[in-house]
Amino acid sequence: MRRKFHIFDTARRKHPGVAMTLPTFFIIGAPKAGTTSLHHYLDQHPEIQMSAIKEPRFFALPESGEAQLPGRVATLAEYEDLFDPAVAVRGESSTDYAAHPRREGAPERIKQLVPEARFIYLVRDPIERSVSHYRMAAALMGEKRPLAEALRDGLDDPASRYIAPSLYATQLELYLRHFPAERILVVDQAQLLAERRATLGDVFSFLAVADEIDSGALEEEKLSSAQWRAAPEGYAGFVGRHVTPRVRWVPRGLRRSVRGALERTLWRPIDASLDDELRTRLEALYAPEAERLRQLTGGRFASWAV
């Protein structure tokens, strides 16, 4: 039985006629397709405010067997506090909003509270995305299985963390049931990387803000999963809780450089090579989804393997 989602926090009720402060747009995924970089770029724009917390996950729910969704902003009051009512264009990025059937019902819940929302959906070659997602899980989320085992298990499980987010047409179709196509912009990560300025111009036009941004803000790319190492369990949490708050005064680029050099010295690389048999199975799984995505969007996605 589908669980009901109780939107309103009983500890904080708005007076009738007082508008809630909520996002006007969402970056809904896919994970490992450039959402962190795009969140950062948009936050540099003078007319846009992005939530200070990336991945607030307010409209996502724990899956079966999970007591709670880690890091989720759980109450409406806390969620509203992420946004500045003085800024007209407000956004947040939560990749769990496009991970059906692992996470179900996000489009419906967003429709209930933000019926005029706009959406930016970043996509990437689905096989590359799955492999990158595995790298992240092996580095940060305690994944111990070899790549081949993890992805083969996922082929038999539509709710796999590695498979579900690469089913782009399925995710998009769920949003199209509740929102008109003109309010959803699908962006290929390959275009964001190769033609960043022009691609961001399309995003700014979609959000109806001026096509202006400090070009220096576009130079930074967030950490690629290819650079990650298999650190001990709990390492990422330790860094986030105890190290990062103490070194915020150090320039971001220098922090990343020092941390990367240290981790490359201490931890082993993550083996994420695909054998031919597994690649063939992934191609067979993703090809129909990629074709439907092309039909839905008119995009070519020419660099993809499927």
Side-chain angles (χ1 to χ4, degrees), residues 12-36:
R12 177 180 175 180
R13 297 282 185 174
K14 289 281 187 179
H15 293 294
V18 178
M20 291 182 288
T21 304
L22 295 170
T24 61
F25 75 94
F26 300 83
I27 300 174
I28 56 173
K32 309 317 304 164
T35 61
T36 300

PDB file of all heavy atoms in Angstrom, residues 12-36:
ATOM      1  N   ARG A  12       3.986  24.303  12.642  1.00  0.00           N
ATOM      2  CA  ARG A  12       4.082  25.638  12.052  1.00  0.00           C
ATOM      3  C   ARG A  12       3.031  25.774  10.958  1.00  0.00           C
ATOM      4  O   ARG A  12       3.193  25.255   9.866  1.00  0.00           O
ATOM      5  CB  ARG A  12       5.474  25.851  11.468  1.00  0.00           C
ATOM      6  CG  ARG A  12       5.652  27.197  10.762  1.00  0.00           C
ATOM      7  CD  ARG A  12       7.053  27.307  10.214  1.00  0.00           C
ATOM      8  NE  ARG A  12       7.218  28.523   9.447  1.00  0.00           N
ATOM      9  CZ  ARG A  12       8.344  28.875   8.846  1.00  0.00           C
ATOM     10  NH1 ARG A  12       9.396  28.103   8.930  1.00  0.00           N
ATOM     11  NH2 ARG A  12       8.437  29.989   8.153  1.00  0.00           N
ATOM     12  N   ARG A  13       1.973  26.446  11.252  1.00  0.00           N
ATOM     13  CA  ARG A  13       0.921  26.677  10.274  1.00  0.00           C
ATOM     14  C   ARG A  13       0.966  28.135   9.822  1.00  0.00           C
ATOM     15  O   ARG A  13       1.063  29.049  10.638  1.00  0.00           O
ATOM     16  CB  ARG A  13      -0.455  26.388  10.880  1.00  0.00           C
ATOM     17  CG  ARG A  13      -0.650  24.945  11.306  1.00  0.00           C
ATOM     18  CD  ARG A  13      -0.940  24.052  10.133  1.00  0.00           C
ATOM     19  NE  ARG A  13      -1.252  22.691  10.565  1.00  0.00           N
ATOM     20  CZ  ARG A  13      -1.650  21.752   9.744  1.00  0.00           C
ATOM     21  NH1 ARG A  13      -1.770  21.991   8.466  1.00  0.00           N
ATOM     22  NH2 ARG A  13      -1.910  20.538  10.197  1.00  0.00           N
ATOM     23  N   LYS A  14       0.897  28.331   8.537  1.00  0.00           N
ATOM     24  CA  LYS A  14       0.849  29.691   8.022  1.00  0.00           C
ATOM     25  C   LYS A  14      -0.543  30.281   8.244  1.00  0.00           C
ATOM     26  O   LYS A  14      -1.546  29.577   8.197  1.00  0.00           O
ATOM     27  CB  LYS A  14       1.161  29.684   6.524  1.00  0.00           C
ATOM     28  CG  LYS A  14       2.621  29.371   6.206  1.00  0.00           C
ATOM     29  CD  LYS A  14       3.482  30.573   6.418  1.00  0.00           C
ATOM     30  CE  LYS A  14       4.911  30.302   5.941  1.00  0.00           C
ATOM     31  NZ  LYS A  14       5.765  31.467   6.118  1.00  0.00           N
ATOM     32  N   HIS A  15      -0.606  31.591   8.465  1.00  0.00           N
ATOM     33  CA  HIS A  15      -1.903  32.256   8.518  1.00  0.00           C
ATOM     34  C   HIS A  15      -2.526  32.239   7.123  1.00  0.00           C
ATOM     35  O   HIS A  15      -1.818  32.284   6.124  1.00  0.00           O
ATOM     36  CB  HIS A  15      -1.737  33.706   8.990  1.00  0.00           C
ATOM     37  CG  HIS A  15      -1.287  33.803  10.405  1.00  0.00           C
ATOM     38  ND1 HIS A  15      -2.074  33.398  11.462  1.00  0.00           N
ATOM     39  CD2 HIS A  15      -0.126  34.257  10.940  1.00  0.00           C
ATOM     40  CE1 HIS A  15      -1.406  33.608  12.599  1.00  0.00           C
ATOM     41  NE2 HIS A  15      -0.225  34.118  12.309  1.00  0.00           N
ATOM     42  N   PRO A  16      -3.815  32.145   7.031  1.00  0.00           N
ATOM     43  CA  PRO A  16      -4.461  32.150   5.708  1.00  0.00           C
ATOM     44  C   PRO A  16      -4.044  33.366   4.898  1.00  0.00           C
ATOM     45  O   PRO A  16      -3.989  34.486   5.398  1.00  0.00           O
ATOM     46  CB  PRO A  16      -5.958  32.193   6.064  1.00  0.00           C
ATOM     47  CG  PRO A  16      -6.042  31.617   7.443  1.00  0.00           C
ATOM     48  CD  PRO A  16      -4.781  32.024   8.137  1.00  0.00           C
ATOM     49  N   GLY A  17      -3.717  33.131   3.638  1.00  0.00           N
ATOM     50  CA  GLY A  17      -3.344  34.217   2.757  1.00  0.00           C
ATOM     51  C   GLY A  17      -1.869  34.555   2.771  1.00  0.00           C
ATOM     52  O   GLY A  17      -1.419  35.366   1.965  1.00  0.00           O
ATOM     53  N   VAL A  18      -1.076  33.964   3.659  1.00  0.00           N
ATOM     54  CA  VAL A  18       0.363  34.209   3.710  1.00  0.00           C
ATOM     55  C   VAL A  18       1.069  33.157   2.864  1.00  0.00           C
ATOM     56  O   VAL A  18       0.939  31.960   3.120  1.00  0.00           O
ATOM     57  CB  VAL A  18       0.894  34.168   5.157  1.00  0.00           C
ATOM     58  CG1 VAL A  18       2.399  34.368   5.164  1.00  0.00           C
ATOM     59  CG2 VAL A  18       0.208  35.236   5.987  1.00  0.00           C
ATOM     60  N   ALA A  19       1.790  33.591   1.852  1.00  0.00           N
ATOM     61  CA  ALA A  19       2.443  32.662   0.930  1.00  0.00           C
ATOM     62  C   ALA A  19       3.609  31.957   1.609  1.00  0.00           C
ATOM     63  O   ALA A  19       4.329  32.541   2.423  1.00  0.00           O
ATOM     64  CB  ALA A  19       2.926  33.409  -0.304  1.00  0.00           C
ATOM     65  N   MET A  20       3.797  30.708   1.258  1.00  0.00           N
ATOM     66  CA  MET A  20       4.957  29.970   1.740  1.00  0.00           C
ATOM     67  C   MET A  20       6.171  30.326   0.884  1.00  0.00           C
ATOM     68  O   MET A  20       6.048  30.657  -0.294  1.00  0.00           O
ATOM     69  CB  MET A  20       4.690  28.463   1.671  1.00  0.00           C
ATOM     70  CG  MET A  20       3.649  27.989   2.658  1.00  0.00           C
ATOM     71  SD  MET A  20       3.404  26.190   2.592  1.00  0.00           S
ATOM     72  CE  MET A  20       2.538  26.037   1.040  1.00  0.00           C
ATOM     73  N   THR A  21       7.337  30.238   1.485  1.00  0.00           N
ATOM     74  CA  THR A  21       8.573  30.494   0.759  1.00  0.00           C
ATOM     75  C   THR A  21       9.149  29.156   0.303  1.00  0.00           C
ATOM     76  O   THR A  21       9.742  28.412   1.096  1.00  0.00           O
ATOM     77  CB  THR A  21       9.594  31.232   1.652  1.00  0.00           C
ATOM     78  OG1 THR A  21       9.006  32.429   2.147  1.00  0.00           O
ATOM     79  CG2 THR A  21      10.841  31.572   0.846  1.00  0.00           C
ATOM     80  N   LEU A  22       8.960  28.850  -0.958  1.00  0.00           N
ATOM     81  CA  LEU A  22       9.344  27.563  -1.513  1.00  0.00           C
ATOM     82  C   LEU A  22      10.150  27.778  -2.780  1.00  0.00           C
ATOM     83  O   LEU A  22      10.178  28.888  -3.337  1.00  0.00           O
ATOM     84  CB  LEU A  22       8.084  26.732  -1.813  1.00  0.00           C
ATOM     85  CG  LEU A  22       7.248  26.335  -0.592  1.00  0.00           C
ATOM     86  CD1 LEU A  22       5.913  25.743  -1.022  1.00  0.00           C
ATOM     87  CD2 LEU A  22       8.007  25.337   0.271  1.00  0.00           C
ATOM     88  N   PRO A  23      10.808  26.756  -3.274  1.00  0.00           N
ATOM     89  CA  PRO A  23      11.539  26.918  -4.538  1.00  0.00           C
ATOM     90  C   PRO A  23      10.583  27.149  -5.698  1.00  0.00           C
ATOM     91  O   PRO A  23       9.428  26.711  -5.672  1.00  0.00           O
ATOM     92  CB  PRO A  23      12.285  25.581  -4.686  1.00  0.00           C
ATOM     93  CG  PRO A  23      11.513  24.616  -3.868  1.00  0.00           C
ATOM     94  CD  PRO A  23      10.963  25.394  -2.722  1.00  0.00           C
ATOM     95  N   THR A  24      11.083  27.840  -6.709  1.00  0.00           N
ATOM     96  CA  THR A  24      10.306  28.006  -7.943  1.00  0.00           C
ATOM     97  C   THR A  24      10.755  27.015  -9.001  1.00  0.00           C
ATOM     98  O   THR A  24      10.058  26.819 -10.002  1.00  0.00           O
ATOM     99  CB  THR A  24      10.446  29.433  -8.485  1.00  0.00           C
ATOM    100  OG1 THR A  24      11.826  29.700  -8.780  1.00  0.00           O
ATOM    101  CG2 THR A  24       9.946  30.449  -7.465  1.00  0.00           C
ATOM    102  N   PHE A  25      11.936  26.408  -8.802  1.00  0.00           N
ATOM    103  CA  PHE A  25      12.403  25.391  -9.736  1.00  0.00           C
ATOM    104  C   PHE A  25      13.248  24.352  -9.006  1.00  0.00           C
ATOM    105  O   PHE A  25      13.736  24.581  -7.896  1.00  0.00           O
ATOM    106  CB  PHE A  25      13.185  26.012 -10.899  1.00  0.00           C
ATOM    107  CG  PHE A  25      14.586  26.472 -10.556  1.00  0.00           C
ATOM    108  CD1 PHE A  25      15.676  25.635 -10.753  1.00  0.00           C
ATOM    109  CD2 PHE A  25      14.806  27.742 -10.046  1.00  0.00           C
ATOM    110  CE1 PHE A  25      16.960  26.063 -10.444  1.00  0.00           C
ATOM    111  CE2 PHE A  25      16.089  28.175  -9.735  1.00  0.00           C
ATOM    112  CZ  PHE A  25      17.171  27.322  -9.934  1.00  0.00           C
ATOM    113  N   PHE A  26      13.404  23.207  -9.661  1.00  0.00           N
ATOM    114  CA  PHE A  26      14.130  22.081  -9.088  1.00  0.00           C
ATOM    115  C   PHE A  26      15.109  21.517 -10.114  1.00  0.00           C
ATOM    116  O   PHE A  26      14.766  21.380 -11.290  1.00  0.00           O
ATOM    117  CB  PHE A  26      13.169  20.951  -8.685  1.00  0.00           C
ATOM    118  CG  PHE A  26      12.149  21.335  -7.658  1.00  0.00           C
ATOM    119  CD1 PHE A  26      10.971  21.971  -8.033  1.00  0.00           C
ATOM    120  CD2 PHE A  26      12.350  21.052  -6.311  1.00  0.00           C
ATOM    121  CE1 PHE A  26      10.014  22.328  -7.089  1.00  0.00           C
ATOM    122  CE2 PHE A  26      11.401  21.403  -5.362  1.00  0.00           C
ATOM    123  CZ  PHE A  26      10.241  22.041  -5.749  1.00  0.00           C
ATOM    124  N   ILE A  27      16.312  21.183  -9.642  1.00  0.00           N
ATOM    125  CA  ILE A  27      17.210  20.305 -10.410  1.00  0.00           C
ATOM    126  C   ILE A  27      16.933  18.905  -9.884  1.00  0.00           C
ATOM    127  O   ILE A  27      17.199  18.610  -8.718  1.00  0.00           O
ATOM    128  CB  ILE A  27      18.683  20.694 -10.226  1.00  0.00           C
ATOM    129  CG1 ILE A  27      18.922  22.137 -10.706  1.00  0.00           C
ATOM    130  CG2 ILE A  27      19.586  19.722 -10.996  1.00  0.00           C
ATOM    131  CD1 ILE A  27      20.334  22.646 -10.432  1.00  0.00           C
ATOM    132  N   ILE A  28      16.373  18.031 -10.708  1.00  0.00           N
ATOM    133  CA  ILE A  28      15.850  16.754 -10.221  1.00  0.00           C
ATOM    134  C   ILE A  28      16.772  15.572 -10.510  1.00  0.00           C
ATOM    135  O   ILE A  28      16.429  14.439 -10.183  1.00  0.00           O
ATOM    136  CB  ILE A  28      14.458  16.466 -10.811  1.00  0.00           C
ATOM    137  CG1 ILE A  28      14.493  16.485 -12.346  1.00  0.00           C
ATOM    138  CG2 ILE A  28      13.439  17.468 -10.284  1.00  0.00           C
ATOM    139  CD1 ILE A  28      13.182  16.046 -12.987  1.00  0.00           C
ATOM    140  N   GLY A  29      17.915  15.771 -11.060  1.00  0.00           N
ATOM    141  CA  GLY A  29      18.808  14.643 -11.360  1.00  0.00           C
ATOM    142  C   GLY A  29      19.449  14.888 -12.701  1.00  0.00           C
ATOM    143  O   GLY A  29      19.320  15.972 -13.266  1.00  0.00           O
ATOM    144  N   ALA A  30      20.088  13.821 -13.180  1.00  0.00           N
ATOM    145  CA  ALA A  30      20.347  12.537 -12.535  1.00  0.00           C
ATOM    146  C   ALA A  30      21.634  12.624 -11.715  1.00  0.00           C
ATOM    147  O   ALA A  30      22.502  13.459 -12.009  1.00  0.00           O
ATOM    148  CB  ALA A  30      20.489  11.438 -13.588  1.00  0.00           C
ATOM    149  N   PRO A  31      21.780  11.775 -10.682  1.00  0.00           N
ATOM    150  CA  PRO A  31      23.043  11.774  -9.939  1.00  0.00           C
ATOM    151  C   PRO A  31      24.211  11.412 -10.849  1.00  0.00           C
ATOM    152  O   PRO A  31      24.072  10.594 -11.756  1.00  0.00           O
ATOM    153  CB  PRO A  31      22.812  10.704  -8.861  1.00  0.00           C
ATOM    154  CG  PRO A  31      21.676   9.880  -9.344  1.00  0.00           C
ATOM    155  CD  PRO A  31      20.823  10.776 -10.186  1.00  0.00           C
ATOM    156  N   LYS A  32      25.327  12.043 -10.617  1.00  0.00           N
ATOM    157  CA  LYS A  32      26.549  11.853 -11.390  1.00  0.00           C
ATOM    158  C   LYS A  32      26.397  12.356 -12.821  1.00  0.00           C
ATOM    159  O   LYS A  32      27.044  11.851 -13.742  1.00  0.00           O
ATOM    160  CB  LYS A  32      27.013  10.395 -11.376  1.00  0.00           C
ATOM    161  CG  LYS A  32      27.116   9.775 -10.000  1.00  0.00           C
ATOM    162  CD  LYS A  32      27.767  10.691  -8.964  1.00  0.00           C
ATOM    163  CE  LYS A  32      29.154  11.169  -9.382  1.00  0.00           C
ATOM    164  NZ  LYS A  32      29.603  12.347  -8.560  1.00  0.00           N
ATOM    165  N   ALA A  33      25.528  13.361 -13.007  1.00  0.00           N
ATOM    166  CA  ALA A  33      25.361  13.956 -14.332  1.00  0.00           C
ATOM    167  C   ALA A  33      25.617  15.462 -14.307  1.00  0.00           C
ATOM    168  O   ALA A  33      25.236  16.171 -15.226  1.00  0.00           O
ATOM    169  CB  ALA A  33      23.956  13.671 -14.863  1.00  0.00           C
ATOM    170  N   GLY A  34      26.267  15.943 -13.248  1.00  0.00           N
ATOM    171  CA  GLY A  34      26.632  17.357 -13.187  1.00  0.00           C
ATOM    172  C   GLY A  34      25.724  18.225 -12.353  1.00  0.00           C
ATOM    173  O   GLY A  34      25.810  19.451 -12.421  1.00  0.00           O
ATOM    174  N   THR A  35      24.881  17.629 -11.504  1.00  0.00           N
ATOM    175  CA  THR A  35      23.947  18.444 -10.722  1.00  0.00           C
ATOM    176  C   THR A  35      24.664  19.343  -9.720  1.00  0.00           C
ATOM    177  O   THR A  35      24.236  20.474  -9.487  1.00  0.00           O
ATOM    178  CB  THR A  35      22.927  17.557  -9.989  1.00  0.00           C
ATOM    179  OG1 THR A  35      23.599  16.677  -9.087  1.00  0.00           O
ATOM    180  CG2 THR A  35      22.112  16.721 -10.976  1.00  0.00           C
ATOM    181  N   THR A  36      25.744  18.848  -9.128  1.00  0.00           N
ATOM    182  CA  THR A  36      26.460  19.669  -8.144  1.00  0.00           C
ATOM    183  C   THR A  36      27.083  20.882  -8.810  1.00  0.00           C
ATOM    184  O   THR A  36      27.020  22.004  -8.289  1.00  0.00           O
ATOM    185  CB  THR A  36      27.533  18.834  -7.434  1.00  0.00           C
ATOM    186  OG1 THR A  36      26.916  17.728  -6.763  1.00  0.00           O
ATOM    187  CG2 THR A  36      28.295  19.667  -6.408  1.00  0.00           C
TER     188      THR A  36
END
